[in-house]
Amino acid sequence: MSALTTENGATPAVEEPPDAGARHKLTAVTGLAALSLDAMASVAYGPEAIVLVLAAAGGYGLGFTLPVTLAIAGLLAVLVASYRQVIAAFPDGGGSYAVAKAHLGRRTSLVAAGSLVLDYVLNVAVAVTAGVAALTSAFPELYGDRLGICLAVLVLITGINLRGIVDSARAFILPTAVFIGAILVLIVVGLFRNAPVSTAASAGHASVLADNASTVGALLLLKAFASGCSALTGVEAIANAVPSFRAPAARRAIRAEVALGALLGVMLIGLSVLISRFGLQPVEGVTVLAQLADASLGHNAAFYVIQFATMVLLALSANTSFGGLPVLLKLLARDNYLPHVFGLKADRQVHRHGVVWLAIVSAGLLVFSGGDTNTLVPLFAIGVFVGFTIAQTGMVLHWRRERGPRWVAKALLNGLGAVLTGVSAVVVTATKFHDGAWLIVIALPVFVLVFEAVHRAYGRIGERLGVGRIPEPPHRERSLVLVPVSSLTRLTSEALTAAVSLGDDVRAVTVCHPDPEDREATEALERDWALWNPGVPLVRLPSERRSLGRPITAYVRDLEATEPGTRVTVLVPEAEPEHLWQRALQNQRGAVVAHAVRRDTNAVVCRLRFRC
């Protein structure tokens, strides 16, 4: 059953021709701004995550900061090279989901999709809370309002993305450029320093460095590697959103992916070199990046520019999810694993339902965490490594089947990536398991079960609708139209006019309750009806209970049983007020009747709206 099939089995008209929305799609530069903020912002917490773990082994442990970072940079290089191949092989987007679906089977593809959905949603919550945490660090008086600020930032990002991914990219180009430029300047200037130019940022703050440690075990190095791998989240986002780029989409996406890998690698390695050069020690209440800015540039305006740019980029890095997840949800909807509404595309190439639901779920996570980053970080980055591993494994099989030029070298590259990311996934999960990662281990199978349940439901619906089969030719049946009425008004006249235009036989029905007041009203209606004489009989439906829908549905069921060749239609007349707020003044009788008939009978329900 196609994701664009409507409830009656029809396929809606195409909204616009294939390249008509090119101006609402991304170039390589705007793609970098829209889809790489997550990865770019990770330089603010990736090196710090490594240093905080190694600090448990004292100053001796900090000496391993650069080797661990180089290992992560090597993994980054493998991932970028691999995702260049994923983009070229699967230009319709979807990343690991598309690769797994083609080469590893349906169930594995759902695991990949579930892991990506989890990571994207968590990325929004972590990014927003981290950005607000940077703000409250500079202005402590705002700490008590951090949840409200987080939700306000989320609303801002959601609103920008509802205008289209290109608009969001344009809005974020400047902060992205400022952040990248500031970090590169920090690194270049720092390389010419023999010692820190300032330590004012860390003065008076307690060191978290362990004392009397002289050895570093393999477990500690693995834990540092796992923590630093949070810097690799977001590398896959461009491959997931290839259709968001202008033609040639694959070529533009590859350029953006390579640029992302190069910038991220340079920044990670450069910051780690400075950490070793300055002998930096982690302290409470001051980020490692802030100490590096202080040591390299001094405690001046440049220091505050970097802090402000970091804060803004951390908050805006949630945009990576808003660019990538709606495209993934569209592919899942197309394959009948999610409601088809996620496949609909509004103006400006916006998958509006995906954007809105991502915002709603992320807001729930923010409320759950109280706007605290530390509550969410242990859950972060696990899902993306599962997706990395599945994508790399699938690409090995892809090259093996294609057997094109240099397929062996390409397969070896992806095989190496699969091993490295697979080991990383195990290490990240094991080291973070007791900190909350067990929730991801539970949530991932739940996502797969939900996807399967939706798929089975669409399968049953498609079977009943006969999707894919030529239906019987249409034929005419006798038509009986019922019009629920309670009084004589212009609305009644309009409803009967519409009814006699639709059906061979028309009957007005009115429900009569046993209360004396209701009986008198019904008798008055019958007298007025006889005087009016519209040529349509009025049928009284007695009801012992104060019910409106049940008597009408019972009458419809009796008609369906006694007149099996008749198509019964219930036309429900409703007045539509001039102003939206006036709808609260209505008694909602029409909605009650329509709901009851739709739920309990096979009759066609028509709702006639009379504009006041």
Side-chain angles (χ1 to χ4, degrees), residues 28 32 40 76-77 79-85 87 235 238 250-266:
L32 195 63
M40 292 293 183
L76 170 65
L79 286 173
V80 170
S82 175
Y83 273 101
R84 285 180 70 251
Q85 298 178 171
I87 292 169
V235 172
I238 293 174
R251 188 181 305 168
R252 292 181 188 273
I254 287 173
R255 290 175 184 168
E257 184 75 42
V258 172
L260 168 62
L263 287 170
L264 184 57
V266 167

Side-chain angles (χ1 to χ4, degrees), residues 471-487:
E472 297 179 358
H475 58 280
R476 180 175 176 79
E477 292 181 342
R478 178 176 176 272
S479 177
L480 170 60
V481 182
L482 302 180
V483 182
V485 299
S486 59
S487 60

Side-chain angles (χ1 to χ4, degrees), residues 384-432:
V384 74
F385 272 95
V386 173
F388 284 162
T389 305
I390 291 174
Q392 310 274 352
T393 305
M395 287 303 294
V396 172
L397 297 179
H398 173 79
W399 298 126
R400 184 178 177 184
R401 292 178 185 176
E402 293 289 326
R403 292 184 178 272
R406 299 185 297 139
W407 76 269
V408 174
K410 295 177 180 177
L412 287 175
L413 173 65
N414 290 126
L416 174 63
V419 172
L420 293 176
T421 54
V423 171
S424 300
V426 173
V427 170
V428 171
T429 304
T431 55
K432 296 184 177 182

Side-chain angles (χ1 to χ4, degrees), residues 3 42-43 50 72 118 122 132 135 172 200 215 219 329 343 349 372 396 399-400 488 510 547 580 582 598:
S42 66
V43 302
I50 298 171
I72 293 172
L118 284 170
L122 284 167
V132 173
L135 175 65
F172 300 150
T215 58
L219 183 60
L329 296 182
Q349 305 294 313
D372 180 37
V396 172
W399 298 126
R400 184 178 177 184
L488 283 185
T510 185
S547 174
L580 182 64
Q582 293 174 332
R598 184 180 293 111

